[in-house]
Every structure is written in structure tokens, then in C-alpha cells.
């Protein structure tokens, strides 16, 4: 496999990817802050989302350092940056799959106790496995300058290592491939379970099933369950494609369009999660809006307070009590 002269990273690519890193950093931070500020949002699935956001936040920091510096040789700071990004990126894969597994057990298997009992194992695997892989790679001198062949300025697995393909698999790609398969399957099973549950409800509770509020919640939850694996795959596929092109020794891997898509895909996950679970989640979005306009709202009580409805009851009160609990997490009901 010819190594070539490496992939040139242009200034405009650096700018775009640094913007993506910045959005991901603040998006991940916003997810964490909403969890800390509002105690009633501290469900277990959202707690897992916070841990994923911590990984994405670390990834955004590590990648931004690499993109800013555009390393050109092995050095201690290259190895440090590469190790940090490797750990954070791999951890992000594990937490993404952990959330899907939790929701599958909680919703499809209808066992919150079983799902909650898995959380300690999620921590051991999602932090421990990436840490063990990263430490091993650093100790064996596998992390270093990769000539941007499967990165965009940052350091990862040293392209000079004779077994660099193996270590690229161990430090990211094999987990990426597994996530491509696992996420669509789990979310498809969850969607099917929800649809069957609502079909059963519509048979025995036709009035509630046709209620606009209930239908709205169902539609939003269904959209999010569809978008989660699609967004993950869309963001990560460019990195995978460049890895495959490296194996094929194809010069297409150095094409600027593919490079910039790879850079955005690797760094935008935190921002994408923020858009989906904060900005596109009505109760959380409403709270953020109220914080920004708090002074005006303090002067004039809202319509719910005037009606005596400021008790914190769910907005969609017509939602059946035994409706699939995915709605209550995906829309924070």
C-alpha cells in the first residue's frame, strides 16, 4: 500500500471544520447544562445522553486543536492530541450504542429495572474499553502523525506503523462498523414496538388514539427514532469511506469535498444531538426561551398561571398512561 505524500488540508477546510467543532462544543455543553439546571429532566436516558455529550465535547476540543495546528510530524503534542481524540471518539461510539440498548430494553422488553441495571456496565465499557485501547496504542507507539490520510489535520494512528490498518480498526473503525449495524436494528425494533402499542390503543381507545395531542407526540417520537441512526450514519460515513479508499490506495480519498465532509462528520455529532434533543424538543426549547425572556415573563404571568395550570403537569395530558415511554424521553413529557 503506497503511502503517498499525505492529504493537503486547505485553510478554508480548517475554517469550516473549526466552526463545526465550535458548534459541537456549545451544543454538547447546552445538553449538559439543561440536565444540570432542570432536575425534572434528569431521566436515565437523558443522563446517558449527557455522558455521550461529554465524549462529544472532548472530541470537539481534541479535533479543534488538531485542525488548528495541522500536525506535520510526530511530536509529543501530536501524540497527546491523537490519544485524547481517539479516546473521546471511541467512547462516543459506545455511548451512542448504549443509549439505543437502554431504550430497547426499557421500551421493547418493558423492564426499567433491567435497563437501569445495565447503566454501570455501560460506564465500564464506554469509558474503560476506549481507555484501554488508547493507552495500549500509545504505549506501543501507534498514535502519531497520519498525514491526514484518514483524518483532517489531527493525529490518529501513525501512518508509518506497519500495522496501521489493524490499529485504525481497533481505535475506531471496527466500533464504527458495529454501530452502523446495531443502531438501525435496535431503533427499528423500538419503532415497531411503539407502532404496535398505538395500534392496540387505537382499538380500545379510539378517542384518545385520534386525539391531536397524542398524534403529535407519536409523530415526533417516530421522527426522532428514525433520525437518530440516519444522522449518525450520515455524519460518520465519510470517515468510513476515506478509510476504505485508503485500503484501496485510491487518490479519491484526498479529494477536498470528501475531506471536508469527513471533517464535519467527525466533529458535528454534539451539535446534531443538541438540535434533536434540545432545540427540537418543545418543552426544553420553551424553557430556554423563557430563560432568555425571564424578565418579561416575571412581570406578566403566563396564561397557564392565570388558569391555575402552572403545576408542571405534562402538556399533552391526553396521552394515555400506558403509552410507550419513548415519547416521554424523546419529547421530555
Amino acid at each position: 500500500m503506497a503511502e503517498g505524500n499525505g492529504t493537503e488540508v486547505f485553510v478554508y477546510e480548517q475554517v469550516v471544520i473549526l466552526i463545526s467543532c465550535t458548534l459541537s462544543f456549545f451544543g454538547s455543553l447546552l445538553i449538559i447544562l439543561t440536565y444540570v439546571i432542570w432536575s425534572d429532566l434528569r431521566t436515565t436516558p437523558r443522563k446517558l445522553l449527557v455522558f455521550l455529550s461529554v465524549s462529544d465535547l472532548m472530541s470537539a476540543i481534541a479535533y479543534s486543536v488538531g485542525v488548528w495546528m495541522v500536525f506535520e510530524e510526530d511530536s509529543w503534542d501530536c501524540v497527546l492530541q491523537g490519544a485524547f481524540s481517539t479516546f473521546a471518539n471511541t467512547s462516543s461510539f459506545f455511548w451512542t450504542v448504549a443509549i439505543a440498548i437502554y431504550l430497547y430494553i426499557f421500551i421493547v422488553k418493558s423492564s426499567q429495572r433491567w435497563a437501569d441495571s445495565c447503566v454501570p456496565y455501560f460506564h465500564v465499557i464506554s469509558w474503560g474499553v476506549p481507555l484501554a485501547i488508547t493507552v495500549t496504542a500509545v504505549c506501543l507507539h501507534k498514535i502519531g502523525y497520519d498525514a491526514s490520510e484518514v483524518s483532517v489535520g489531527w493525529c490518529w494512528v501513525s501512518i508509518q506503523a506497519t500495522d496501521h490498518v489493524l490499529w485504525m480498526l481497533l481505535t475506531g473503525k471496527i466500533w464504527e462498523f458495529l454501530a452502523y449495524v446495531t443502531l438501525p436494528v435496535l431503533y427499528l425494533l423500538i419503532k415497531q414496538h411503539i407502532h404496535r402499542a398505538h395500534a392496540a390503543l387505537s382499538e380500545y381507545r379510539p378517542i384518545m388514539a385520534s386525539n391531536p395531542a397524542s398524534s403529535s407526540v407519536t409523530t415526533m417520537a417516530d421522527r426522532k427514532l428514525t433520525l437518530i441512526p440516519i444522522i449518525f450514519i450520515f455524519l460518520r460515513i465519510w470517515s468510513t469511506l476515506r478509510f476504505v479508499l485508503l485500503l484501496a490506495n485510491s487518490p479519491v480519498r484526498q479529494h477536498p469535498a470528501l475531506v471536508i465532509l469527513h471533517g464535519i462528520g467527525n466533529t458535528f455529532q454534539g451539535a446534531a444531538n443538541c438540535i434533536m434533543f434540545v432545540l427540537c424538543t418543545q418543552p426544553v426549547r420553551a424553557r430556554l426561551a423563557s430563560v432568555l425572556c425571564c424578565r418579561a415573563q416575571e412581570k406578566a404571568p403566563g396564561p397557564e398561571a392565570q388558569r391555575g395550570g402552572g403545576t408542571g403537569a405534562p402538556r399533552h395530558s391526553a396521552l394515555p398512561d400506558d403509552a410507550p415511554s419513548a415519547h416521554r424521553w424523546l419529547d421530555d413529557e
Side-chain angles (χ1 to χ4, degrees):
M1 182 186 302
E3 292 176 4
N5 296 320
T7 302
E8 182 178 1
V9 180
F10 298 100
V11 173
Y12 73 89
E13 293 173 339
Q14 288 179 269
V15 172
V16 172
I17 298 170
L18 283 172
I19 292 173
S20 178
C21 288
T22 302
L23 292 174
S24 192
F25 174 85
F26 284 108
S28 299
L29 189 61
L30 188 58
I31 291 174
I32 296 169
L33 289 176
T34 56
Y35 179 85
V36 171
I37 293 172
W38 293 302
S39 59
D40 57 319
L41 295 182
R42 296 173 192 169
T43 61
T44 302
R46 188 162 281 273
K47 183 188 297 184
L48 299 181
L49 180 63
V50 166
F51 296 133
L52 170 60
S53 298
V54 171
S55 297
D56 290 334
L57 188 146
M58 290 191 296
S59 293
I61 294 173
Y63 284 137
S64 62
V65 171
V67 174
W68 177 266
M69 299 187 69
V70 187
F71 295 101
E72 297 181 353
E73 61 181 0
D74 281 326
S75 58
W76 70 268
D77 50 348
C78 170
V79 173
L80 179 63
Q81 182 274 314
F84 197 68
S85 62
T86 297
F87 168 76
N89 191 52
T90 308
S91 178
S92 179
F93 291 151
F94 280 100
W95 278 117
T96 302
V97 174
I99 291 173
I101 293 173
Y102 182 93
L103 290 177
Y104 173 78
I105 297 173
F106 187 22
I107 297 168
V108 179
K109 298 301 181 180
S110 301
S111 177
Q112 182 175 357
R113 179 178 297 180
W114 181 15
D116 289 342
S117 70
C118 292
V119 174
Y121 298 101
F122 292 155
H123 281 285
V124 172
I125 295 172
S126 299
W127 299 123
V129 173
L131 181 61
I133 292 172
T134 303
V135 170
T136 302
V138 171
C139 292
L140 295 177
H141 306 289
K142 303 301 180 181
I143 301 295
Y145 175 63
D146 78 339
S148 294
E149 291 291 67
V150 196
S151 70
V152 189
W154 56 78
C155 292
W156 186 30
V157 175
S158 175
I159 201 68
Q160 300 298 328
T162 56
D163 53 353
H164 61 269
V165 173
L166 172 62
W167 281 98
M168 285 179 179
L169 288 169
L170 291 175
T171 58
K173 292 307 168 188
I174 192 171
W175 315 114
E176 196 171 64
F177 293 144
L178 289 174
Y180 288 156
V181 176
T182 305
L183 292 177
V185 170
L186 289 175
Y187 282 113
L188 178 61
L189 292 173
I190 294 171
K191 280 167 58 71
Q192 289 178 340
H193 179 83
I194 291 175
H195 290 169
R196 285 195 297 266
H198 274 277
L201 284 173
S202 65
E203 181 178 354
Y204 295 101
R205 300 183 182 183
I207 296 177
M208 283 194 173
S210 61
N211 185 278
S214 178
S215 299
S216 174
V217 175
T218 303
T219 301
M220 180 58 71
D222 186 72
R223 287 177 182 172
K224 287 184 178 181
L225 287 170
T226 302
L227 287 174
I228 289 170
I230 290 177
I231 290 175
F232 177 85
I233 293 173
F234 178 77
L235 290 176
R236 296 292 183 172
I237 196 64
W238 312 109
S239 171
T240 304
L241 181 57
R242 288 193 71 205
F243 174 70
V244 173
L245 291 172
L246 174 68
L247 297 181
N249 196 28
S250 172
V252 177
R253 70 181 184 275
Q254 299 178 339
H255 193 283
L258 188 55
V259 171
I260 202 167
L261 284 170
H262 174 191
I264 294 173
N266 266 43
T267 59
F268 199 72
Q269 187 68 53
N273 289 337
C274 178
I275 292 171
M276 188 178 305
F277 296 110
V278 175
L279 302 183
C280 290
T281 300
Q282 197 279 333
V284 183
R285 186 175 66 246
R287 295 186 188 201
L288 289 174
S290 68
V291 168
L292 296 175
C293 311
C294 59
R295 288 190 177 86
Q297 291 189 355
E298 286 173 358
K299 294 179 181 178
E304 289 188 0
Q306 294 174 357
R307 294 193 303 267
T311 60
R315 291 174 60 86
H316 301 295
S317 57
L319 185 64
D321 293 337
D322 53 351
S325 55
H327 299 161
R328 303 187 183 281
W329 175 61
L330 293 168
D331 294 289
D332 292 308
E333 290 297 325

